[in-house]
Amino acid sequence: MSIVGRVPLAESPDEQTSEIKRIVVSRILGTAVEWYDFLICGTASAVVFNKLFFPLSNPTRGTIAAFGTYGVGFLARPLGAAIFGHFGDRVGRKAMLAMTIVIMGLGTFLVGLLPTYGQIGILAPGLLVFLRLLQGIGLGGEWGWCRAHGGRECARQEPGVSGLDGTARLSDR
């Protein structure tokens, strides 16, 4: 009887470090894309949403209404975290992460295609609020997954590393 190959009992430190780097880079990129979508929407709220979706009110009220639609995305984040946290435990976290990114990207894409108040009337601001709700749900699911999964993986790969604050860093010992 001969031994065909050796199976390592543990990963080498270099493999652990590269796995942690991969996790951190993927978390940073995913979160950057999600927050970039929020930045785009915030800028559009300040510059054009008041004119395109709320033209009948005075400019100040239109701007307040536009920022109100922007705020809907922030209010929906806890809902997204609860939904995707629940289904992430049942279906799988990676599948849910992919779904959150698709939801966020699709919401942003559809906001770009949204007809204005002049074209479809009161339905335009309603659809804008609905799409902001979708974006907030997507961001809430992605951000929660990012923090939970990344922190757990970093701590598992290298003791003394904490990733629960959205970034991986060496903790104080």
Side-chain angles (χ1 to χ4, degrees):
M1 233 197 304
S2 69
I3 298 176
V4 176
R6 293 180 54 191
V7 177
L9 296 176
E11 293 179 345
S12 70
D14 291 337
E15 290 173 354
Q16 288 179 346
T17 303
S18 68
E19 179 69 13
I20 290 172
K21 286 179 184 177
R22 184 186 65 81
I23 290 169
V24 170
V25 167
S26 67
R27 290 173 60 199
I28 289 170
L29 289 176
T31 303
V33 168
E34 303 279 345
W35 283 107
Y36 180 68
D37 283 344
F38 259 64
L39 173 72
I40 290 171
C41 196
T43 304
S45 293
V47 178
V48 295
F49 281 178
N50 61 341
K51 296 174 185 116
L52 296 178
F53 296 103
F54 307 101
L56 298 181
S57 59
N58 69 29
T60 304
R61 287 185 185 158
T63 302
I64 291 171
F67 277 114
T69 61
Y70 182 63
V72 166
F74 287 98
L75 295 175
R77 286 176 55 200
L79 178 63
I83 290 170
F84 287 103
H86 171 75
F87 287 109
D89 290 340
R90 294 185 184 266
V91 176
R93 290 181 180 91
K94 289 183 182 181
M96 292 297 104
L97 175 65
M99 188 178 288
T100 62
I101 292 171
V102 167
I103 287 172
M104 186 73 178
L106 185 64
T108 302
F109 176 73
L110 291 176
V111 166
L113 296 179
L114 201 58
T116 64
Y117 186 89
Q119 294 170 327
I120 62 171
I122 195 70
L123 191 58
L127 289 172
L128 179 63
V129 169
F130 174 73
L131 292 174
R132 288 295 302 144
L133 184 71
L134 280 181
Q135 287 179 320
I137 288 171
L139 181 61
E142 191 272 338
W143 186 250
W145 179 89
C146 173
R147 293 174 60 97
H149 177 71
R152 183 173 39 251
E153 284 298 313
C154 287
R156 186 179 64 118
Q157 292 289 331
E158 187 173 324
V161 172
S162 170
L164 294 177
D165 62 349
T167 60
R169 60 179 171 78
L170 290 175
S171 62
D172 298 329
R173 293 184 187 186

